[in-house]
Amino acid sequence: MSAAPVTTPEDDASGKAGADVLVVKGLDVSVRHQKLVEDVTFTVRSGERVGLIGESGSGKSLTALALMGLLPEGLTATGSVQVDGVGHDLVGADERAMSRVRGRDIAMVFQEPMTALNPTMRVGDQVAEAMLIHRTRPSRRAARVAAVELLGQVGLPDPPGTARAYPHQLSGGQRQRVVLALALANDPALLVCDEPTTALDVTVQAFVLDLIVQGVLDRRAAMVFITHDLAVVATVCERVMVMYGGRIVEAGPVQEVFTRPRHRYTQGLLGASDLTVVDDRGRLATIPGSVPAAGHFPAGCVFRNRCQHATAACETRPSWTATGDDAGFACHHPAGLPDAAPRATPGGGRP
Amino acid sequence: MTLRLLQRLAILVASLVVSSVIVFAFMAVLPGDPARVALGVNASDAAVAEMRSEFGLDRSPVAQYLSWVRGLVTLDPGSSYVSGTAIGPQLADRLQVTLWLVVTAMVVALVVAIPVGTVMAVRHRQVSGLALSAVSQLGVAIPAFLAGILLITVFAVKLGWLPANGWTPPADDPAMFLKQLVLPVASLGLVQAAVLTRYVRSAVLDVLREDYLRTARAKGLPPMRALVRHGLRNAAVPVVTVLGLQLATLLIGAVVVERVFVIPGLGSLLLDSVSQRDLIMVQDVVMILVMAVLVVNFVVDLLYVLIDPRLRVSAR
Ligand SMILES: Nc1ncnc2c1ncn2[C@@H]1O[C@H](COP(=O)(O)OP(=O)(O)O)[C@@H](O)[C@H]1O
Ligand code: SF4
Ligand SMILES: [Mg+2]
């Protein structure tokens, strides 16, 4: 696997469209015996941009870190994560095998640009290192040149000068672009972004988002994009998965999910983000209550304690109802169906 | 950068001045006239008066302070009240011996502490890491002189591998010099290593939690290589701070260890001068020790700048 030649966008155009880049099955993340992420299953195809949304504390970051094999100490993942071109399952892979995959087949952009870079190393060297580790450039010199070029691609002014700068000499937006440059350095098949613009100044958010999308498009890479900003998902992604209580509760094309949500949690999220939705007393809609701490979600439907539609039926876990390829929801009383009982199709056809 | 250098230099000079005043004042307020102390209670008043004028002890305290400082600055501190011999060459000789001891001990301490502390941090949840922590805890609790006595008992008396004491200048007999250096350096260095190990461990533990280390691993560096390439330099900042401070402890340790191993360094000179009531010599030795600590801390301050680019103003 490590012997695979460097793929440029040109050579991998060879009929790879539609291939599964990432296949996640039954992924759990646990701390001791408590599950923080449970039974996450989805597929991302070549060139697809998939959003992962949900309130803070829903398990989005842990899902992303589990894909990278970078869970914090004490947390363990079980289940299966397969990446195209990697001959082994990423879950349970040893560090040596994982370090060949990270930064090459899958790369990640983190939430906090201020702390993501080594303060004692020039940013050009940090970008060049990404290529030297995987030997995707023949020499240190070639990697340096490529690093400067990448810094230019992510819109940094004076790329050679920026390459010589230390992180503290750059703004948050500039640092995040450096992180993006090093994530894209080896043309990964999959880019995982965990709230990449949340920590940035609003004035630069749109610019950085554009660069991310452009970078992914140029490389025909697939992307998993985590955010709690629905408007961002709508502009960046084609498909979206809604996460709550460590589970995917709804998934589908962005257009579909955002205009006709089925899960009551999705409906609440959309209502809370829409400033035109008011209740009969004229107050802005919000989801009542707050996200419980890990381990304090109710049994059955995890959203039950905050859901206005909850009934006794919701004390048992709702099964997944597929509404299409990669689309479906898990709710006993879905929105959009006046009073029909949902069809339960356990197992098959999940996103 | 130059601004910082000038700033630090000004601070160094100011602290040297303040500490010299303190050392001088401390010696001056000791009860008894230095000439009387040096000559003994049976000396005649005339002899005492003659000595007072010979050494300038009859001048005002300010004049005495200034001539003492002038002596130090011009590297000509005059001669001893007691033996009448020149102080300068003696100080230089003894300082050289103590530097060998202290610098070698510090190097040994670092060579042990950096890898051991790093392993302790990386394995802080494993038995091996905890075992190392326990050993270093023990090391911290042992004073250097006790370590010295234990080492002599085992390696010199019981096993006879190394000389129990003594000092040979390196130029005279390098092999003997090294043999005699081993035990005193070990007693100073290993205790110091135990202390530093704990600082290295906590600095590395802090670094392990840093986001940039996760970024380094996300690029594809295996954990240990990520730590070595991206962590150690960052962990060095707090460790270097401690290094400067630990030097004071090491010098105090050297005073005692020189006595245990019969080594003619500054420590022995200090203790001998105290017992011979050679006040000017005591004053000079104390001042040299203080200067050493201040100068090292000045150097440490400059080292930060090399380690951490955030301290360099407009480095770009
Ligand atoms: N290292 C950890 N140990 C224990 N619990 C954790 C740890 N990291 C995160 N959690 C818990 O897991 C849940 C999901 O966290 P996270 O994935 O960060 O959520 P999100 O990214 O959606 O905001 C939260 O309840 C959080 O407190
Ligand atoms: S399953 Fe029940 S509690 Fe859960 S979201 Fe649907 S209606 Fe609400
Ligand atoms: Mg998060």
Side-chain angles (χ1 to χ4, degrees):
Chain A
M1 160 228 91
S2 61
V6 187
T7 53
T8 64
E10 282 73 31
D11 3 301
D12 79 4
S14 50
K16 241 173 82 180
D20 295 347
V21 171
L22 173 71
V23 180
V24 180
K25 283 188 191 140
L27 178 68
D28 288 1
V29 174
S30 328
V31 59
R32 274 162 254 111
H33 293 296
Q34 180 182 315
K35 285 190 175 165
L36 300 173
V37 169
E38 192 170 351
D39 196 21
V40 166
T41 296
F42 64 93
T43 300
V44 178
R45 291 178 191 80
S46 172
E48 258 189 325
R49 297 186 303 280
V50 179
L52 183 57
I53 61 172
E55 287 163 291
S56 190
S58 298
K60 307 182 297 293
S61 295
L62 291 183
T63 303
L65 292 171
L67 300 183
M68 293 291 291
L70 287 176
L71 286 171
E73 225 180 348
L75 270 59
T76 47
T78 51
S80 162
V81 174
Q82 300 273 354
V83 170
D84 183 36
V86 178
H88 57 84
D89 201 305
L90 303 196
V91 174
D94 64 30
E95 275 299 331
R96 275 188 55 213
M98 274 316 285
S99 54
R100 275 181 237 129
V101 175
R102 289 185 202 121
R104 178 175 179 142
D105 300 291
I106 318 187
M108 184 157 174
V109 175
F110 299 95
Q111 180 170 351
E112 255 315 319
M114 301 311 274
T115 52
L117 294 168
N118 180 350
T120 60
M121 198 188 258
R122 295 180 196 276
V123 299
D125 292 344
Q126 299 193 48
V127 175
E129 188 187 33
M131 293 172 273
L132 289 169
I133 294 168
H134 298 286
R135 303 206 172 85
T136 53
R137 295 297 182 285
S139 65
R140 187 166 291 272
R141 206 189 158 81
R144 285 239 173 85
V145 172
V148 170
E149 197 177 304
L150 279 160
L151 293 175
Q153 278 176 29
V154 294
L156 286 163
D158 178 24
T162 304
R164 268 178 272 119
Y166 287 97
H168 73 277
Q169 294 168 310
L170 306 178
S171 69
Q174 290 174 326
R175 290 189 214 189
Q176 194 65 312
R177 284 184 267 160
V178 172
V179 173
L180 177 64
L182 69 83
L184 294 175
N186 298 313
D187 302 326
L190 177 71
L191 182 68
V192 180
C193 296
D194 187 0
E195 311 219 19
T197 58
T198 305
L200 301 182
D201 209 84
V202 279
T203 53
V204 298
Q205 286 188 356
F207 182 49
V208 172
L209 274 182
D210 272 356
L211 286 167
I212 292 174
V213 172
Q214 198 54 51
V216 162
L217 283 175
D218 288 346
R219 290 164 179 79
R220 301 180 197 195
M223 173 159 76
V224 172
F225 191 97
I226 295 174
T227 179
H228 58 248
D229 187 336
L230 304 190
V232 168
V233 176
T235 55
V236 171
C237 302
E238 299 144 341
R239 213 146 53 77
V240 64
M241 303 182 291
V242 183
M243 193 161 201
Y244 183 77
R247 301 193 194 145
I248 293 181
V249 296
E250 177 157 13
V254 171
Q255 172 73 18
E256 186 76 24
V257 172
F258 281 12
T259 52
R260 278 188 303 268
R262 307 301 305 275
H263 198 281
R264 296 296 180 178
Y265 177 64
T266 316
Q267 192 182 29
L269 267 188
L270 289 164
S273 72
D274 185 347
L275 300 183
T276 62
V277 176
V278 286
D279 67 8
D280 38 353
R281 276 187 272 167
R283 293 174 308 190
L284 280 174
T286 52
I287 303 178
S290 55
V291 183
H296 292 83
F297 287 92
C301 175
V302 279
F303 188 53
R304 183 156 65 88
N305 61 331
R306 300 172 71 191
C307 181
Q308 286 154 350
H309 304 269
T311 62
C314 304
E315 285 162 33
T316 56
R317 186 180 298 189
S319 52
W320 185 258
T321 305
T323 54
D325 288 349
D326 307 318
F329 59 90
C331 175
H332 288 298
H333 309 295
L337 283 181
D339 41 33
R343 306 158 285 148
T345 53
R350 299 186 46 169
Chain B
M1 177 73 206
T2 19
L3 185 69
R4 186 185 165 91
L5 184 70
L6 290 178
Q7 238 173 29
R8 299 293 140 158
L9 210 55
I11 292 174
L12 174 66
V13 171
S15 7
L16 282 172
V17 170
V18 171
S19 50
S20 68
V21 169
I22 293 172
V23 169
F24 180 84
F26 186 73
M27 290 299 167
V29 299
L30 282 183
D33 166 10
R36 168 73 61 193
V37 169
L39 292 174
V41 280
N42 295 326
S44 69
D45 287 351
V48 171
E50 191 190 326
M51 184 169 182
R52 286 176 60 85
S53 76
E54 185 189 338
F55 286 98
L57 296 172
D58 49 359
R59 289 171 298 169
S60 74
V62 174
Q64 287 188 46
Y65 170 78
L66 289 177
S67 82
W68 175 59
V69 169
R70 185 175 337 109
L72 288 177
V73 171
T74 57
L75 300 180
D76 179 19
S79 38
S80 153
Y81 299 165
V82 175
S83 62
T85 52
I87 292 175
Q90 277 196 73
L91 285 179
D93 232 38
R94 300 298 189 102
L95 178 61
Q96 214 185 355
V97 172
T98 300
L99 281 183
W100 267 115
L101 208 56
V102 169
V103 171
T104 325
M106 195 52 114
V107 170
V108 167
L110 283 174
V111 166
V112 173
I114 292 171
V116 173
T118 304
V119 168
M120 268 161 64
V122 171
R123 302 199 182 156
H124 72 282
R125 294 198 180 192
Q126 294 163 27
V127 178
S128 53
L130 293 175
L132 283 173
S133 284
V135 171
S136 80
Q137 192 85 66
L138 198 69
V140 171
I142 298 179
F145 80 90
L146 188 60
I149 291 168
L150 287 174
L151 288 171
I152 290 178
T153 312
V154 176
F155 293 98
V157 179
K158 288 254 163 68
L159 298 171
W161 291 352
L162 292 160
N165 56 37
W167 177 265
T168 310
D172 293 4
D173 180 352
M176 195 57 187
F177 163 73
L178 287 178
K179 273 192 200 163
Q180 289 177 334
L181 196 61
V182 174
L183 291 183
V185 162
S187 32
L188 272 179
L190 293 182
V191 173
Q192 200 57 228
V195 176
L196 284 181
T197 298
R198 307 193 68 76
Y199 285 103
V200 171
R201 174 181 182 272
S202 86
V204 172
L205 269 182
D206 283 346
V207 160
L208 282 173
R209 283 189 276 265
E210 292 284 355
D211 280 356
Y212 54 77
L213 221 62
R214 189 176 60 183
T215 307
R217 292 183 58 203
K219 282 184 198 177
L221 281 175
M224 205 60 195
R225 268 179 67 201
L227 179 60
V228 170
R229 276 196 51 83
H230 293 273
L232 291 190
R233 185 159 171 185
N234 288 289
V237 176
V239 172
V240 165
T241 314
V242 174
L243 222 57
L245 300 174
Q246 281 305 109
L247 188 86
T249 329
L250 206 52
L251 282 172
I252 293 165
V255 170
V256 182
V257 163
E258 283 175 10
R259 176 75 8 148
V260 172
F261 287 93
V262 198
I263 293 171
L266 277 183
S268 307
L269 180 62
L270 180 67
L271 297 182
D272 290 347
S273 310
V274 168
S275 65
Q276 290 165 10
R277 299 158 192 271
D278 194 344
L279 293 189
I280 183 77
M281 187 70 99
V282 171
Q283 193 173 317
D284 286 344
V285 173
V286 170
M287 194 58 217
I288 286 194
L289 295 177
V290 169
M291 266 159 63
V293 171
L294 290 176
V295 168
V296 166
N297 281 290
F298 167 73
V299 172
V300 161
D301 243 6
L302 298 185
L303 273 183
Y304 287 148
V305 181
L306 291 182
I307 297 171
D308 191 342
R310 281 169 293 190
L311 300 174
R312 288 174 226 160
V313 189
S314 71
R316 186 168 163 191

